[in-house]
Amino acid sequence: MSSSSSATIVIEPGSPLYLHPSDGTNSVSVEKLLGFSNHRPWKRSFEITLASKRKLGFVTGVVERDANDKVKEDAKDTCNSMVISWILANVSDGIKKSVMYTNSAKQIWRQLE
């Protein structure tokens, strides 16, 4: 086994690329988005929740891929998928069906707007 394959890469807890062990697909819960009627309060609640987990940048576009750093690129992809799972868990089934094949949390966020 080479030393590079046994090395552990640590992402600091303050980084938007860090996922806490308790950050599962069901760890974000706000009132479900039903449509235009509750979009504004849903969006605000979701933004607060994402900000508390340092993940708001995934929907605003502040957190971008770093093609020069494979580890960070992989961590970004993992976090993006987690944010997508949180969005999908907090929208109505009809809305979920319309966005679930989009691969970017930022793109989903734009579609929901």
Side-chain angles (χ1 to χ4, degrees), residues 6 55 57 76 81 98 102 111:
S6 65
K55 302 295 182 273
K76 199 273 184 187
S81 293
S98 73
T102 304
Q111 288 177 314

Side-chain angles (χ1 to χ4, degrees), residues 29-42:
S29 181
V30 298
E31 178 183 354
K32 282 194 184 272
L33 175 63
L34 303 174
F36 181 76
S37 64
N38 75 329
H39 179 263
R40 188 172 172 166
W42 175 86

Side-chain angles (χ1 to χ4, degrees), residues 62-108:
V62 172
V63 177
E64 297 180 350
R65 291 177 61 98
D66 184 353
N68 296 322
D69 188 329
K70 179 69 172 144
V71 172
K72 286 184 179 177
E73 193 174 55
D74 289 347
K76 199 273 184 187
D77 290 344
T78 300
C79 290
N80 178 69
S81 293
M82 185 61 70
V83 172
I84 290 171
S85 75
W86 292 338
I87 294 171
L88 295 178
N90 287 280
V91 299
S92 68
D93 288 340
I95 294 171
K96 182 188 304 184
K97 289 176 185 174
S98 73
V99 298
M100 71 183 312
Y101 293 102
T102 304
N103 293 322
S104 163
K106 179 182 174 183
Q107 289 175 342
I108 291 174

Side-chain angles (χ1 to χ4, degrees), residues 46-62:
F46 212 85
E47 286 173 339
I48 292 167
T49 301
L50 288 176
S52 74
K53 293 180 170 290
R54 293 185 167 91
K55 302 295 182 273
L56 186 59
F58 286 87
V59 297
T60 63
V62 172

